[in-house]
Amino acid sequence: MSLDNLNNTTLEQAKHSFMQCCTSSQWVNAMAIARPFSSIESMLKHADAVWDKLNESDYLEAFEGHPQIGNVNTLRAKYANTKALASGEQSAVQEASDQVLHALAKGNTDYLNKFGFIFIVCATGKTASQMLALLEARLPNNRATELANAAEEQRKIFQLRLEKLV
């Protein structure tokens, strides 16, 4: 889709497109209403500005748009079932050893139990071992710090997806 097509599509179609980038309904609505964008850069800048004004419940809604990693089988399957815009973001996990996959699955469960939301990381270009190291480094954080970390990772993800969108 081109930026021109996104700018000229219906409101509902635009919402559907933006929902593929981030599942916060407040963010999606604000992005769809803000059209037309004069450039990709202005769209990306606006996306960040909207994100910065959202609250915790909006962030949690966005996090819920990511599949939860509950066990090794779902970890392996997670990346095969992502949408086209998410393709390639976490492909390094497919090449991970069973030991790393088990540690990631356990770490994700520990993270969810501690913080009440799933571990979010912009995985583009990262190996499973690197993601595991990031997860282990973030587990000792308090909830407020981790909410901010996760929100920043979500921002990186939607920025990449917006660029793929147009």
Side-chain angles (χ1 to χ4, degrees):
M1 168 181 296
S2 69
L3 182 61
D4 189 51
N5 289 344
L6 181 62
N7 282 336
N8 292 304
T9 192
T10 68
L11 183 64
E12 286 308 310
Q13 289 169 329
K15 286 180 180 182
H16 177 75
S17 294
F18 287 122
M19 184 66 74
Q20 302 308 304
C21 301
C22 177
T23 58
S24 163
S25 55
Q26 292 293 333
W27 183 88
V28 167
N29 290 333
M31 291 299 293
I33 292 168
R35 297 169 310 133
F37 296 106
S38 61
S39 66
I40 294 171
E41 293 75 24
S42 69
M43 179 181 66
L44 297 174
K45 185 175 179 179
H46 184 73
D48 281 345
V50 171
W51 187 247
D52 289 342
K53 293 177 185 172
L54 298 180
N55 62 37
E56 179 176 329
S57 64
D58 299 315
Y59 293 153
L60 294 176
E61 182 182 23
F63 303 162
E64 289 172 4
H66 296 273
Q68 179 184 344
I69 299 169
N71 59 46
V72 174
N73 290 331
T74 58
L75 183 57
R76 283 191 185 116
K78 173 179 172 147
Y79 308 109
N81 294 326
T82 53
K83 296 187 182 299
L85 289 176
S87 66
E89 289 175 5
Q90 301 160 329
S91 58
V93 172
Q94 294 173 348
E95 299 172 10
S97 71
D98 278 349
Q99 181 181 4
V100 170
L101 291 177
H102 284 280
L104 270 172
K106 181 183 181 325
N108 274 287
T109 299
D110 293 345
Y111 185 98
L112 176 62
N113 290 337
K114 180 174 182 179
F115 298 114
F117 53 88
I118 66 168
F119 177 66
I120 303 289
V121 64
C122 182
T124 301
K126 293 176 182 69
T127 66
S129 294
Q130 289 169 323
M131 288 188 283
L132 178 59
L134 289 168
L135 173 60
E136 290 171 343
R138 287 171 50 185
L139 263 171
N141 290 337
N142 64 39
R143 190 174 190 283
T145 298
E146 202 45 38
L147 182 67
N149 286 338
E152 174 58 18
E153 292 299 309
Q154 177 67 49
R155 185 194 66 75
K156 292 175 189 176
I157 293 166
F158 73 64
Q159 287 284 320
L160 288 171
R161 291 180 180 178
L162 284 168
E163 289 177 0
K164 287 181 183 180
L165 178 66
V166 294

